[in-house]
Amino acid sequence: MITLESLRAYGANVDEGLARVMNKEDFYLRMVNMVLGDASKFDQLKAAVEAGDAKAAFEVAHALKGATGNVSLTPIYRPICEFSDTLKGHTDQPIPPQCLPLVDEAVKQFEIARNL
Amino acid sequence: MNTDALIRSSRRTVLVVEDEATNRELLGYILGESYDVLTAVDGVEALEVLAGHPGQIAMILLDILMPRMNGIEFLKRRQQDDTLSRIPVIVLTSDKDAELETLKLGALDFITKPYDMPEIILARVRRIIEFVEDRQIIQDVERDELTGLYTRGFFFEYCRRLPAPPRGERRDVIAVDVDHFRLVNEVYGKGFGDRLLCAVADGIHDVVHAGFGIGCRGDVDLFYVLLNQRRDYEAVYDALMRRVHQLGQSNVRLRMGVYQGVENTRPLEWYCVAAKAACDTIRANYTRGVVLYDDKLHERELYNERLIADMESAIAQRQFTVYYQPKYDIRGETPKLYAAEALVRWIHPELGFISPGAFIPLFEENGLIAKLDDYVWRQAAGQIRDWRDRLGVTVPVSVNLSRMDFYDPRLKERLLDIVKENGIPIESFVLEVTESAYSQNMDQMLKTVGELRQAGFHIEMDDFGSGYSSLNMLCLMPIDALKIDMKFVRNVASSSTGYRMVELVIEMARALGVPAIVEGVEDEAQYRLMKQVGCDIIQGYYFSRPVDAASFEPLIAGK
């Protein structure tokens, strides 16, 4: 079960996330579970990257960036943020190969967090 | 709690438009502390929610990247809709580049993702809502909805804050009033009345834009303009009248009063009242459109103010005296005393004798006349009783009813009380009602006069010829005598038309089966003419001027 301690140990910026919801712990944990409970966005991201669809990949990453950032799941947020920023304004071009590890890292961190 | 605090503290509704469930939940949670929160997953749903809550949503928090309809598309739709564009939008963005575009499309502020601390978000939302609501309130009270001119309150406030004019320059105030606006509305309809007011406002706009000036709608049909002094007020008036004539009704007329040289010594309101007073002096004068306020007008105003201020104490100190002018029946060989008319005189301890022509119209204007009428009625009724008791004769005395008296729903009861208190026959207490009073509110007048007559009062229609009675109306009027305006009589000796007019009125009285009374008969020649045309009753200096009760008694004795 996810707790504040396990999230802290995982590397989430729990204090920032809590402050954003006026320090309501149960609500914060509910939000975190909501983000982690929905794997569909990561599936979409992986599919878009595999298909080389930069536009779709950017849109999904953008959404994930907002959601993971708001609950301060930093280990996921960081690579997603970098990926999304790299693609921004260049979605008419192929996805740069050097970005792909960022996606892998985000997916990996997502799985870790889901198993906390 | 004052109104301001009450408005500030009531809960507003905000709409969060965001496709990401976590973000929606999170914002809803933060905002839910202070607001009622509605949500939508994209622009399409947002439009549906807005349509379902007309006038209820105080702010929209809008995500940019959304399926179906994104934030940019939503902002474009909002811009094209007057109602929606009044609702402020804060854009939720993690994308700096989108900011400029959304600003251009009318967004007021941004909240970046990941979100700032809740206090910051709440403060931003609150500030924007306050700003927009205050701006709306200001717009609503600043401009008159119909004409687009400043409202009265804003006009005076702005003028108060104006810096003084440069040395050597002066400012004037003009007041523009639509003559008989109520009547114009009744005759041509409210739609025309509104167009007329807008036309005047447009004309005032032109005047104000041509040089320095500020204009406002000061009252329903009254406009004020503060402007740099100019000499061509006739031209200003003509320009306004051209606007009015463009509406196609040539008999609508404006009046304009000008106060020249506004000083800092008095509040601007005072100068506006003065300009209005100047324009009121030509209420019935169709040959003039513009009047400048001058010292003579000022003196007359002061004099009038004095009369109004002194009126109550004058009643208490019995400065008003009731005089009686006899009416003689001239149908027989020798004229016989028929009745009297009670006429009020004011002997002021300092101002001396004041003509009723000076104070009666004044008191009619501000409603004081009701009190004076009451006083005169009581004096007259008491006099009828006194003569009955001491001389054994009942002399019918007529008293005047003002137009204002008819606004009192207890009029009949008041008059009946006076008759009862004095124990006099009701038909000896005669009521004179001017014809012009009938024409102002015909249905009500016919009803009230009908009731008075049914109660037993005799009614004389006074100043016949001064109003605009139609023949149809005359037949409906419950009256017991027609009194002819003395102006007709004055024309009799000199013009055959005047003579013919009197004849006609007497014929009309015959047709109605009531006596014709002519007042203002001054000499033998006029008297003979009146007798010749078949007049029944005569009142005027030929027999007697109005005299006090004691001086009237010999006339009764001679009856």
Side-chain angles (χ1 to χ4, degrees):
Chain A
M1 198 183 78
I2 291 178
T3 61
L4 294 180
E5 286 67 38
S6 64
L7 280 169
R8 271 204 188 92
Y10 161 71
N13 191 344
V14 173
D15 294 340
E16 185 195 86
L18 271 176
R20 198 167 283 126
V21 294
M22 293 160 286
N23 294 312
K24 294 284 191 296
E25 295 178 6
D26 50 350
F27 184 75
Y28 174 63
L29 289 174
R30 190 154 76 79
M31 287 294 101
V32 171
N33 280 313
M34 221 170 131
V35 174
L36 296 177
D38 180 14
S40 66
K41 283 264 160 36
F42 281 92
D43 293 340
Q44 288 168 27
L45 179 62
K46 281 186 282 188
V49 170
E50 274 164 28
D53 185 344
K55 190 168 176 286
F58 170 74
E59 279 174 10
V60 182
H62 188 83
L64 279 171
K65 175 182 150 186
T68 55
N70 276 334
V71 290
S72 299
L73 286 170
T74 322
I76 313 175
Y77 172 71
R78 263 202 205 117
I80 277 290
C81 195
E82 201 177 325
F83 177 75
S84 146
D85 289 352
T86 312
L87 256 59
K88 196 173 76 184
H90 307 289
T91 51
D92 51 347
Q93 294 160 26
I95 302 171
Q98 70 271 24
C99 293
L100 298 179
L102 293 170
V103 177
D104 293 339
E105 172 65 11
V107 172
K108 191 180 102 192
Q109 289 298 335
F110 178 67
E111 291 304 329
I112 294 171
R114 271 159 76 88
N115 294 311
L116 283 176
Chain B
M1 189 185 279
N2 64 31
T3 319
D4 195 41
L6 183 74
I7 290 168
R8 294 270 186 253
S9 69
S10 54
R11 263 175 100 85
R12 305 293 194 277
T13 301
V14 298
L15 170 63
V16 175
V17 190
E18 162 72 77
D19 61 329
E20 196 57 46
T22 328
N23 298 346
R24 250 190 346 259
E25 283 265 337
L26 198 57
L27 267 184
Y29 189 74
I30 294 169
L31 295 167
E33 286 276 297
S34 312
Y35 301 93
D36 290 335
V37 181
L38 297 170
T39 56
V41 297
D42 55 33
V44 175
E45 197 178 293
L47 289 174
E48 286 167 10
V49 173
L50 285 160
H53 297 79
Q56 293 168 39
I57 295 172
M59 148 154 301
I60 301 165
L61 291 111
L62 181 72
D63 187 26
I64 294 300
L65 285 176
M66 289 182 294
R68 286 212 292 179
M69 185 193 290
N70 66 26
I72 300 291
E73 187 57 33
F74 176 84
L75 285 172
K76 285 179 183 163
R77 292 280 195 98
R78 170 183 165 274
Q79 263 189 331
Q80 288 156 9
D81 184 313
D82 278 350
T83 318
L84 288 188
S85 57
R86 287 179 180 217
I87 306 173
V89 173
I90 291 183
V91 165
L92 308 166
T93 177
S94 52
D95 180 3
K96 279 271 166 200
D97 293 353
E99 290 187 4
L100 183 65
E101 190 176 5
T102 56
L103 264 183
K104 282 181 185 161
L105 290 170
L108 280 182
D109 202 356
F110 305 94
I111 290 175
T112 51
K113 294 178 198 170
Y115 298 146
D116 290 312
M117 291 303 108
E119 294 79 8
I120 296 176
I121 293 176
L122 284 170
R124 284 195 161 161
V125 169
R126 191 179 61 237
R127 200 190 50 194
I128 296 279
I129 289 177
E130 277 180 15
F131 167 72
V132 169
E133 287 183 353
D134 287 353
R135 190 178 61 180
Q136 192 58 46
I137 289 168
I138 290 169
Q139 271 172 4
D140 288 349
V141 297
E142 179 186 48
R143 297 282 174 178
D144 170 51
E145 202 178 347
L146 178 67
T147 62
L149 288 176
Y150 283 129
T151 56
R152 182 192 175 88
F154 256 79
F155 170 75
F156 286 118
E157 194 53 41
Y158 278 155
C159 292
R160 238 188 301 283
R161 286 158 193 253
L162 276 180
R167 189 179 292 273
E169 280 182 29
R170 284 155 73 83
R171 287 179 189 152
D172 298 345
V173 162
I174 63 180
V176 179
D177 191 295
V178 180
D179 210 31
H180 294 114
F181 182 66
R182 200 176 55 83
L183 205 63
V184 170
N185 254 342
E186 259 171 45
V187 174
Y188 301 114
K190 194 176 173 303
F192 177 83
D194 284 353
R195 285 204 302 284
L196 172 62
L197 294 173
C198 290
V200 178
D202 290 345
I204 285 175
H205 251 293
D206 296 344
V207 174
V208 163
H209 282 285
F212 170 80
I214 298 177
C216 81
R217 185 176 176 200
D219 204 343
V220 179
D221 61 334
L222 173 66
F223 301 86
Y224 293 129
V225 183
L226 174 73
L227 72 177
N228 278 346
Q229 192 154 70
R230 51 198 293 171
R231 298 191 174 277
D232 57 340
Y233 285 110
E234 291 289 346
V236 171
Y237 178 79
D238 291 344
L240 292 178
M241 282 305 291
R242 271 197 299 279
R243 287 275 192 175
V244 169
H245 286 153
Q246 279 167 5
L247 299 176
Q249 295 295 348
S250 58
N251 47 357
V252 176
R253 168 180 174 263
L254 303 176
R255 286 180 276 122
M256 192 166 116
V258 184
Y259 189 100
Q260 292 178 296
V262 169
E263 309 261 359
N264 279 336
T265 47
R266 294 174 193 271
L268 184 67
E269 284 88 336
W270 187 91
Y271 295 104
C272 287
V273 169
K276 169 76 165 69
C279 102
D280 283 347
T281 59
I282 45 167
R283 215 185 267 277
N285 183 343
Y286 283 79
T287 58
R288 284 182 78 184
V290 183
V291 188
L292 304 182
Y293 187 91
D294 60 18
D295 289 345
K296 232 168 86 186
L297 198 61
H298 182 54
E299 266 169 39
R300 198 169 78 192
E301 280 215 310
L302 290 179
Y303 181 74
N304 285 350
E305 274 172 34
R306 172 89 191 267
L307 296 190
I308 290 167
D310 289 354
M311 189 264 188
E312 300 247 5
S313 58
I315 285 186
Q317 294 165 13
R318 299 184 161 267
Q319 291 169 15
F320 291 105
T321 311
V322 179
Y323 275 42
Y324 299 87
Q325 186 171 38
K327 300 174 187 175
Y328 278 89
D329 187 336
I330 60 164
R331 282 173 285 200
E333 276 298 303
T334 45
K336 283 191 304 189
L337 181 67
Y338 173 79
E341 179 178 3
L343 297 158
V344 68
R345 296 288 179 264
W346 187 355
I347 318 291
H348 193 284
E350 287 166 38
L351 303 173
F353 177 84
I354 303 168
S355 155
F359 63 86
I360 287 181
L362 193 64
F363 293 167
E364 274 179 342
E365 228 170 78
N366 61 18
L368 282 175
I369 195 71
K371 210 157 191 181
L372 183 62
D373 280 346
D374 200 82
Y375 177 82
V376 174
W377 298 344
R378 287 177 186 282
Q379 294 287 311
Q383 195 57 62
I384 297 172
R385 174 63 194 241
D386 178 54
W387 284 334
R388 257 167 83 89
D389 287 352
R390 288 192 299 108
L391 309 177
V393 181
T394 303
V395 183
V397 174
S398 60
V399 296
N400 287 283
L401 261 59
S402 309
R403 194 171 39 83
M404 293 294 297
D405 292 318
F406 287 91
Y407 289 108
D408 180 3
R410 287 198 61 260
L411 176 65
K412 190 174 83 179
E413 283 68 33
R414 274 170 59 203
L415 289 164
L416 283 172
D417 283 351
I418 290 173
V419 167
K420 214 169 123 192
E421 278 165 26
N422 288 283
I424 53 174
I426 193 164
E427 66 277 8
S428 69
F429 193 68
V430 181
L431 310 176
E432 294 197 15
V433 182
T434 66
E435 191 206 1
S436 50
Y438 278 92
S439 38
Q440 286 197 355
N441 189 354
M442 196 178 102
D443 291 344
Q444 177 59 35
M445 286 294 296
L446 289 179
K447 184 170 163 285
T448 311
V449 174
E451 284 171 7
L452 289 171
R453 201 156 170 264
Q454 220 156 26
F457 289 106
H458 280 192
I459 311 287
E460 290 180 0
M461 184 190 271
D462 200 6
D463 280 341
F464 182 67
S466 68
Y468 306 91
S469 308
S470 63
L471 283 175
N472 175 38
M473 198 170 127
L474 262 183
C475 297
L476 291 171
M477 282 179 186
I479 51 167
D480 299 283
L482 261 191
K483 253 184 126 169
I484 304 164
D485 198 301
M486 49 205 271
K487 276 174 230 145
F488 284 135
V489 183
R490 292 221 176 93
N491 285 330
V492 168
S494 55
S495 93
S496 59
T497 325
Y499 179 83
R500 182 69 196 127
M501 287 296 288
V502 177
E503 243 182 359
L504 264 174
V505 174
I506 289 166
E507 275 171 34
M508 231 180 266
R510 291 265 181 286
L512 294 170
V514 299
I517 305 174
V518 177
E519 60 180 329
V521 176
E522 291 180 354
D523 54 35
E524 174 88 26
Q526 287 178 349
Y527 166 68
R528 285 187 185 286
L529 269 168
M530 286 305 104
K531 204 165 159 61
Q532 202 180 321
V533 292
C535 174
D536 304 307
I537 319 286
I538 291 285
Q539 178 183 343
Y541 276 39
Y542 173 64
F543 285 111
S544 169
R545 62 187 172 83
V547 292
D548 62 26
S551 309
F552 194 88
E553 281 178 22
L555 302 176
I556 302 173
K559 187 173 180 176

